[in-house]
């Protein structure tokens, strides 16, 4: 291979037909194989770029679409990230970790039947500012904490009848039912007012 006469353990060499590699300190660091795939830390790159090990980018990574497949611990870790069309595969502990501020999902969030959001402490989890829609069952292992609401916009209502439902009047231990934007029943400890 090609190497500096004063640095015998670093240089270029050809480990296979139509393949070029770079070594430092007597160890292969990178190669380009006959298919044009580049391997960093890998001698068998199967994609245009294959990296065996951690990567660190000082600036943004932009991808039209991305797929993150199985990993043993953490699939994807980002301190600041924007995702367009992305698929995050299953990992045994963490599929996606985002730290350092808010996370925005502009295209929506699809959670499968086995997905878990939050850590159960009540301080994390999922916060939805706006409407949320589920087409199947939703199961909660803890309490559901909702805003108070009012007769015209009850906390729990219906998609085709938004001013009919259940809410809290703002008074302690009071539960009210509304229909057509008007309170029709109020339940207090020891009494029901109609």
């Amino acid at each position: 291979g090609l190497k500096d006469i004063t640095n015998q353990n670093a240089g270029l060499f050809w480990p296979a037909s139509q393949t070029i590699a770079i070594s430092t300190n007597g160890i292969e660091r990178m190669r380009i194989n006959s298919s044009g795939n580049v391997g960093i830390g890998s001698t068998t790159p199967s994609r245009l770029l294959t990296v065996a090990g951690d990567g660190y980018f000082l600036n943004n990574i932009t991808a039209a679409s991305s797929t993150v497949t199985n990993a043993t611990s953490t699939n994807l870790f980002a301190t600041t990230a924007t995702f367009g069309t992305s698929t995050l595969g299953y990992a045994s502990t963490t599929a996606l970790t985002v730290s350092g501020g808010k996370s925005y999902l502009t295209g929506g969030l699809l959670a499968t039947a086995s997905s878990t959001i939050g850590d159960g402490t009540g301080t994390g989890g999922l916060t939805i500012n706006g409407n949320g829609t589920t087409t199947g069952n939703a199961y909660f292992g803890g309490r559901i904490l909702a805003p108070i609401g009012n007769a015209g916009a009850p906390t729990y209502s219906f998609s085709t009848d938004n001013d009919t439902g259940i809410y809290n009047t703002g008074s302690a231990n009071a539960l009210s039912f509304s229909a057509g934007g008007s309170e029709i029943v109020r339940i207090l400890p020891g009494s029901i007012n109609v």
Side-chain angles (χ1 to χ4, degrees):
L2 297 177
K3 52 189 173 183
D4 187 343
I5 193 171
T6 62
N7 192 359
Q8 297 292 309
N9 292 325
L12 298 174
F13 65 101
W14 291 260
S17 176
Q18 303 298 317
T19 299
I20 187 171
I22 300 174
S23 67
T24 62
N25 200 27
I27 300 172
E28 179 179 333
R29 306 297 185 181
M30 184 177 73
R31 74 166 52 188
I32 304 174
N33 66 16
S34 58
S35 298
N37 295 332
V38 178
I40 300 176
S42 171
T43 59
T44 57
S46 60
R47 299 291 187 273
L48 194 59
L49 176 62
T50 299
V51 179
D54 295 336
Y56 181 74
F57 299 85
L58 293 175
N59 293 309
N60 296 332
I61 300 174
T62 302
S65 63
S66 60
T67 299
V68 182
T69 55
N70 295 352
T72 56
S73 57
T74 301
N75 269 334
L76 179 61
F77 179 83
T79 54
T80 303
T82 300
F83 300 100
T85 302
S86 298
T87 301
L88 303 177
Y90 170 78
S92 59
T93 56
T94 304
L96 172 65
T97 299
V98 181
S99 63
K102 299 179 179 179
S103 302
Y104 297 94
L105 300 170
T106 58
L109 172 66
L110 175 62
T112 63
S114 60
S115 297
T116 300
I117 299 174
D119 56 10
T121 64
T123 58
L126 175 66
T127 299
I128 301 175
N129 293 319
N131 297 326
T133 302
T134 176
T135 57
N137 297 326
Y139 299 93
F140 300 91
R143 296 184 298 167
I144 301 174
L145 304 178
I148 291 174
N150 55 59
T155 305
Y156 302 100
S157 61
F158 307 92
S159 60
T160 58
D161 193 2
N162 294 328
D163 59 1
T164 297
I166 305 171
Y167 65 100
N168 179 277
T169 62
S171 302
N173 304 315
L175 184 65
S176 294
F177 294 79
S178 67
S182 299
E183 182 180 13
I184 58 171
V185 176
R186 179 177 297 190
I187 301 175
L188 299 168
S191 67
I192 299 177
N193 300 327
V194 179

mmCIF file of all heavy atoms in Angstrom, residues 131-162:
data_model
loop_
_atom_site.group_PDB
_atom_site.id
_atom_site.type_symbol
_atom_site.label_atom_id
_atom_site.label_comp_id
_atom_site.label_asym_id
_atom_site.label_seq_id
_atom_site.Cartn_x
_atom_site.Cartn_y
_atom_site.Cartn_z
ATOM 1 N N ASN A 131 -56.180 19.097 20.020
ATOM 2 C CA ASN A 131 -57.023 17.916 19.978
ATOM 3 C C ASN A 131 -56.202 16.644 19.895
ATOM 4 O O ASN A 131 -55.140 16.610 19.293
ATOM 5 C CB ASN A 131 -57.979 17.989 18.772
ATOM 6 C CG ASN A 131 -58.937 19.158 18.870
ATOM 7 O OD1 ASN A 131 -59.357 19.534 19.954
ATOM 8 N ND2 ASN A 131 -59.274 19.748 17.738
ATOM 9 N N GLY A 132 -56.717 15.584 20.484
ATOM 10 C CA GLY A 132 -56.119 14.271 20.379
ATOM 11 C C GLY A 132 -57.178 13.287 19.917
ATOM 12 O O GLY A 132 -58.321 13.348 20.366
ATOM 13 N N THR A 133 -56.834 12.397 19.022
ATOM 14 C CA THR A 133 -57.804 11.450 18.472
ATOM 15 C C THR A 133 -57.275 10.040 18.606
ATOM 16 O O THR A 133 -56.112 9.774 18.304
ATOM 17 C CB THR A 133 -58.076 11.742 16.981
ATOM 18 O OG1 THR A 133 -58.559 13.079 16.851
ATOM 19 C CG2 THR A 133 -59.114 10.770 16.420
ATOM 20 N N THR A 134 -58.121 9.141 19.074
ATOM 21 C CA THR A 134 -57.774 7.730 19.093
ATOM 22 C C THR A 134 -58.851 6.953 18.349
ATOM 23 O O THR A 134 -60.040 7.231 18.507
ATOM 24 C CB THR A 134 -57.628 7.193 20.530
ATOM 25 O OG1 THR A 134 -57.392 5.792 20.469
ATOM 26 C CG2 THR A 134 -58.870 7.455 21.363
ATOM 27 N N THR A 135 -58.427 6.033 17.512
ATOM 28 C CA THR A 135 -59.378 5.220 16.745
ATOM 29 C C THR A 135 -59.584 3.857 17.387
ATOM 30 O O THR A 135 -60.340 3.045 16.876
ATOM 31 C CB THR A 135 -58.887 5.032 15.300
ATOM 32 O OG1 THR A 135 -57.586 4.434 15.322
ATOM 33 C CG2 THR A 135 -58.817 6.380 14.579
ATOM 34 N N GLY A 136 -58.891 3.619 18.485
ATOM 35 C CA GLY A 136 -59.052 2.355 19.196
ATOM 36 C C GLY A 136 -59.169 2.612 20.682
ATOM 37 O O GLY A 136 -59.517 3.708 21.122
ATOM 38 N N ASN A 137 -58.906 1.611 21.475
ATOM 39 C CA ASN A 137 -59.001 1.732 22.920
ATOM 40 C C ASN A 137 -57.775 2.438 23.483
ATOM 41 O O ASN A 137 -56.675 2.324 22.958
ATOM 42 C CB ASN A 137 -59.128 0.350 23.571
ATOM 43 C CG ASN A 137 -60.400 -0.360 23.145
ATOM 44 O OD1 ASN A 137 -61.426 0.255 22.919
ATOM 45 N ND2 ASN A 137 -60.329 -1.675 23.033
ATOM 46 N N ALA A 138 -57.973 3.163 24.570
ATOM 47 C CA ALA A 138 -56.886 3.808 25.296
ATOM 48 C C ALA A 138 -56.902 3.293 26.723
ATOM 49 O O ALA A 138 -57.947 3.293 27.376
ATOM 50 C CB ALA A 138 -57.031 5.324 25.262
ATOM 51 N N TYR A 139 -55.766 2.826 27.194
ATOM 52 C CA TYR A 139 -55.663 2.282 28.547
ATOM 53 C C TYR A 139 -54.711 3.140 29.367
ATOM 54 O O TYR A 139 -53.634 3.497 28.899
ATOM 55 C CB TYR A 139 -55.156 0.834 28.503
ATOM 56 C CG TYR A 139 -56.063 -0.100 27.743
ATOM 57 C CD1 TYR A 139 -55.842 -0.330 26.383
ATOM 58 C CD2 TYR A 139 -57.129 -0.728 28.358
ATOM 59 C CE1 TYR A 139 -56.667 -1.182 25.674
ATOM 60 C CE2 TYR A 139 -57.953 -1.588 27.656
ATOM 61 C CZ TYR A 139 -57.719 -1.814 26.305
ATOM 62 O OH TYR A 139 -58.549 -2.647 25.607
ATOM 63 N N PHE A 140 -55.119 3.468 30.590
ATOM 64 C CA PHE A 140 -54.314 4.304 31.462
ATOM 65 C C PHE A 140 -54.069 3.567 32.769
ATOM 66 O O PHE A 140 -55.012 3.105 33.412
ATOM 67 C CB PHE A 140 -55.018 5.637 31.740
ATOM 68 C CG PHE A 140 -55.283 6.447 30.499
ATOM 69 C CD1 PHE A 140 -56.477 6.303 29.799
ATOM 70 C CD2 PHE A 140 -54.337 7.330 30.024
ATOM 71 C CE1 PHE A 140 -56.717 7.028 28.645
ATOM 72 C CE2 PHE A 140 -54.572 8.060 28.869
ATOM 73 C CZ PHE A 140 -55.766 7.913 28.177
ATOM 74 N N GLY A 141 -52.807 3.449 33.150
ATOM 75 C CA GLY A 141 -52.474 2.765 34.388
ATOM 76 C C GLY A 141 -52.579 3.656 35.606
ATOM 77 O O GLY A 141 -52.459 3.191 36.737
ATOM 78 N N GLY A 142 -52.832 4.935 35.397
ATOM 79 C CA GLY A 142 -52.973 5.880 36.509
ATOM 80 C C GLY A 142 -54.173 6.775 36.282
ATOM 81 O O GLY A 142 -55.077 6.466 35.506
ATOM 82 N N ARG A 143 -54.177 7.901 36.956
ATOM 83 C CA ARG A 143 -55.292 8.841 36.837
ATOM 84 C C ARG A 143 -55.213 9.650 35.542
ATOM 85 O O ARG A 143 -54.149 9.811 34.966
ATOM 86 C CB ARG A 143 -55.294 9.802 38.014
ATOM 87 C CG ARG A 143 -55.538 9.137 39.358
ATOM 88 C CD ARG A 143 -55.611 10.171 40.462
ATOM 89 N NE ARG A 143 -54.357 10.908 40.584
ATOM 90 C CZ ARG A 143 -54.221 12.035 41.293
ATOM 91 N NH1 ARG A 143 -55.260 12.561 41.905
ATOM 92 N NH2 ARG A 143 -53.047 12.636 41.366
ATOM 93 N N ILE A 144 -56.364 10.167 35.124
ATOM 94 C CA ILE A 144 -56.431 11.117 34.021
ATOM 95 C C ILE A 144 -56.731 12.474 34.631
ATOM 96 O O ILE A 144 -57.781 12.662 35.249
ATOM 97 C CB ILE A 144 -57.531 10.734 33.003
ATOM 98 C CG1 ILE A 144 -57.269 9.333 32.430
ATOM 99 C CG2 ILE A 144 -57.613 11.767 31.892
ATOM 100 C CD1 ILE A 144 -58.380 8.839 31.535
ATOM 101 N N LEU A 145 -55.829 13.400 34.498
ATOM 102 C CA LEU A 145 -56.005 14.741 35.048
ATOM 103 C C LEU A 145 -56.384 15.691 33.919
ATOM 104 O O LEU A 145 -55.663 15.817 32.942
ATOM 105 C CB LEU A 145 -54.723 15.207 35.738
ATOM 106 C CG LEU A 145 -54.202 14.282 36.853
ATOM 107 C CD1 LEU A 145 -52.905 14.827 37.435
ATOM 108 C CD2 LEU A 145 -55.244 14.112 37.945
ATOM 109 N N ALA A 146 -57.535 16.323 34.055
ATOM 110 C CA ALA A 146 -58.065 17.164 32.986
ATOM 111 C C ALA A 146 -58.403 18.549 33.531
ATOM 112 O O ALA A 146 -58.586 18.726 34.740
ATOM 113 C CB ALA A 146 -59.324 16.516 32.400
ATOM 114 N N PRO A 147 -58.488 19.556 32.659
ATOM 115 C CA PRO A 147 -58.878 20.896 33.115
ATOM 116 C C PRO A 147 -60.331 20.931 33.585
ATOM 117 O O PRO A 147 -61.088 19.987 33.365
ATOM 118 C CB PRO A 147 -58.673 21.767 31.869
ATOM 119 C CG PRO A 147 -58.780 20.802 30.724
ATOM 120 C CD PRO A 147 -58.218 19.512 31.221
ATOM 121 N N ILE A 148 -60.708 22.017 34.209
ATOM 122 C CA ILE A 148 -62.038 22.121 34.820
ATOM 123 C C ILE A 148 -63.146 22.121 33.770
ATOM 124 O O ILE A 148 -64.114 21.374 33.877
ATOM 125 C CB ILE A 148 -62.114 23.399 35.688
ATOM 126 C CG1 ILE A 148 -61.212 23.226 36.914
ATOM 127 C CG2 ILE A 148 -63.549 23.676 36.108
ATOM 128 C CD1 ILE A 148 -61.096 24.470 37.764
ATOM 129 N N GLY A 149 -63.038 22.941 32.755
ATOM 130 C CA GLY A 149 -64.089 23.042 31.749
ATOM 131 C C GLY A 149 -65.245 23.921 32.212
ATOM 132 O O GLY A 149 -65.222 24.514 33.287
ATOM 133 N N ASN A 150 -66.280 23.986 31.377
ATOM 134 C CA ASN A 150 -67.491 24.732 31.739
ATOM 135 C C ASN A 150 -68.663 24.165 30.966
ATOM 136 O O ASN A 150 -68.508 23.228 30.169
ATOM 137 C CB ASN A 150 -67.313 26.233 31.458
ATOM 138 C CG ASN A 150 -66.901 26.513 30.029
ATOM 139 O OD1 ASN A 150 -67.614 26.161 29.082
ATOM 140 N ND2 ASN A 150 -65.733 27.138 29.863
ATOM 141 N N ALA A 151 -69.839 24.726 31.171
ATOM 142 C CA ALA A 151 -71.051 24.170 30.553
ATOM 143 C C ALA A 151 -70.984 24.214 29.029
ATOM 144 O O ALA A 151 -71.461 23.296 28.351
ATOM 145 C CB ALA A 151 -72.282 24.917 31.053
ATOM 146 N N GLY A 152 -70.402 25.282 28.488
ATOM 147 C CA GLY A 152 -70.340 25.412 27.043
ATOM 148 C C GLY A 152 -69.227 24.608 26.402
ATOM 149 O O GLY A 152 -69.289 24.285 25.217
ATOM 150 N N ALA A 153 -68.212 24.292 27.186
ATOM 151 C CA ALA A 153 -67.079 23.494 26.706
ATOM 152 C C ALA A 153 -66.697 22.518 27.807
ATOM 153 O O ALA A 153 -65.669 22.686 28.468
ATOM 154 C CB ALA A 153 -65.911 24.389 26.322
ATOM 155 N N PRO A 154 -67.526 21.509 28.036
ATOM 156 C CA PRO A 154 -67.242 20.559 29.120
ATOM 157 C C PRO A 154 -65.940 19.795 28.876
ATOM 158 O O PRO A 154 -65.524 19.594 27.737
ATOM 159 C CB PRO A 154 -68.462 19.638 29.098
ATOM 160 C CG PRO A 154 -69.023 19.763 27.722
ATOM 161 C CD PRO A 154 -68.743 21.161 27.285
ATOM 162 N N THR A 155 -65.322 19.374 29.968
ATOM 163 C CA THR A 155 -64.044 18.678 29.886
ATOM 164 C C THR A 155 -64.155 17.399 29.068
ATOM 165 O O THR A 155 -63.311 17.100 28.228
ATOM 166 C CB THR A 155 -63.543 18.344 31.298
ATOM 167 O OG1 THR A 155 -63.494 19.553 32.062
ATOM 168 C CG2 THR A 155 -62.172 17.704 31.258
ATOM 169 N N TYR A 156 -65.192 16.636 29.301
ATOM 170 C CA TYR A 156 -65.439 15.395 28.565
ATOM 171 C C TYR A 156 -66.705 15.581 27.741
ATOM 172 O O TYR A 156 -67.799 15.729 28.290
ATOM 173 C CB TYR A 156 -65.585 14.208 29.526
ATOM 174 C CG TYR A 156 -64.376 14.021 30.394
ATOM 175 C CD1 TYR A 156 -64.353 14.479 31.704
ATOM 176 C CD2 TYR A 156 -63.229 13.406 29.888
ATOM 177 C CE1 TYR A 156 -63.227 14.322 32.494
ATOM 178 C CE2 TYR A 156 -62.101 13.247 30.669
ATOM 179 C CZ TYR A 156 -62.105 13.709 31.978
ATOM 180 O OH TYR A 156 -60.986 13.560 32.761
ATOM 181 N N SER A 157 -66.541 15.606 26.419
ATOM 182 C CA SER A 157 -67.687 15.822 25.543
ATOM 183 C C SER A 157 -67.603 14.867 24.364
ATOM 184 O O SER A 157 -66.898 13.864 24.409
ATOM 185 C CB SER A 157 -67.744 17.287 25.075
ATOM 186 O OG SER A 157 -66.577 17.611 24.337
ATOM 187 N N PHE A 158 -68.274 15.202 23.285
ATOM 188 C CA PHE A 158 -68.397 14.296 22.149
ATOM 189 C C PHE A 158 -67.987 15.012 20.871
ATOM 190 O O PHE A 158 -68.178 16.225 20.731
ATOM 191 C CB PHE A 158 -69.841 13.779 22.039
ATOM 192 C CG PHE A 158 -70.344 13.184 23.325
ATOM 193 C CD1 PHE A 158 -71.032 13.959 24.249
ATOM 194 C CD2 PHE A 158 -70.090 11.855 23.618
ATOM 195 C CE1 PHE A 158 -71.478 13.421 25.443
ATOM 196 C CE2 PHE A 158 -70.536 11.300 24.817
ATOM 197 C CZ PHE A 158 -71.217 12.081 25.725
ATOM 198 N N SER A 159 -67.435 14.263 19.919
ATOM 199 C CA SER A 159 -66.893 14.872 18.714
ATOM 200 C C SER A 159 -67.945 15.613 17.902
ATOM 201 O O SER A 159 -67.646 16.590 17.224
ATOM 202 C CB SER A 159 -66.213 13.807 17.844
ATOM 203 O OG SER A 159 -67.141 12.807 17.466
ATOM 204 N N THR A 160 -69.194 15.155 17.948
ATOM 205 C CA THR A 160 -70.257 15.802 17.170
ATOM 206 C C THR A 160 -71.183 16.646 18.040
ATOM 207 O O THR A 160 -72.165 17.188 17.548
ATOM 208 C CB THR A 160 -71.094 14.745 16.432
ATOM 209 O OG1 THR A 160 -71.645 13.827 17.389
ATOM 210 C CG2 THR A 160 -70.229 13.994 15.419
ATOM 211 N N ASP A 161 -70.853 16.764 19.341
ATOM 212 C CA ASP A 161 -71.701 17.532 20.268
ATOM 213 C C ASP A 161 -70.816 18.096 21.365
ATOM 214 O O ASP A 161 -70.819 17.635 22.497
ATOM 215 C CB ASP A 161 -72.793 16.625 20.852
ATOM 216 C CG ASP A 161 -73.888 17.412 21.555
ATOM 217 O OD1 ASP A 161 -73.816 18.661 21.547
ATOM 218 O OD2 ASP A 161 -74.789 16.779 22.127
ATOM 219 N N ASN A 162 -70.060 19.129 21.027
ATOM 220 C CA ASN A 162 -69.018 19.635 21.910
ATOM 221 C C ASN A 162 -69.525 20.365 23.145
ATOM 222 O O ASN A 162 -68.757 20.574 24.086
ATOM 223 C CB ASN A 162 -68.083 20.580 21.136
ATOM 224 C CG ASN A 162 -67.298 19.842 20.068
ATOM 225 O OD1 ASN A 162 -66.975 18.680 20.230
ATOM 226 N ND2 ASN A 162 -66.986 20.529 18.978
#
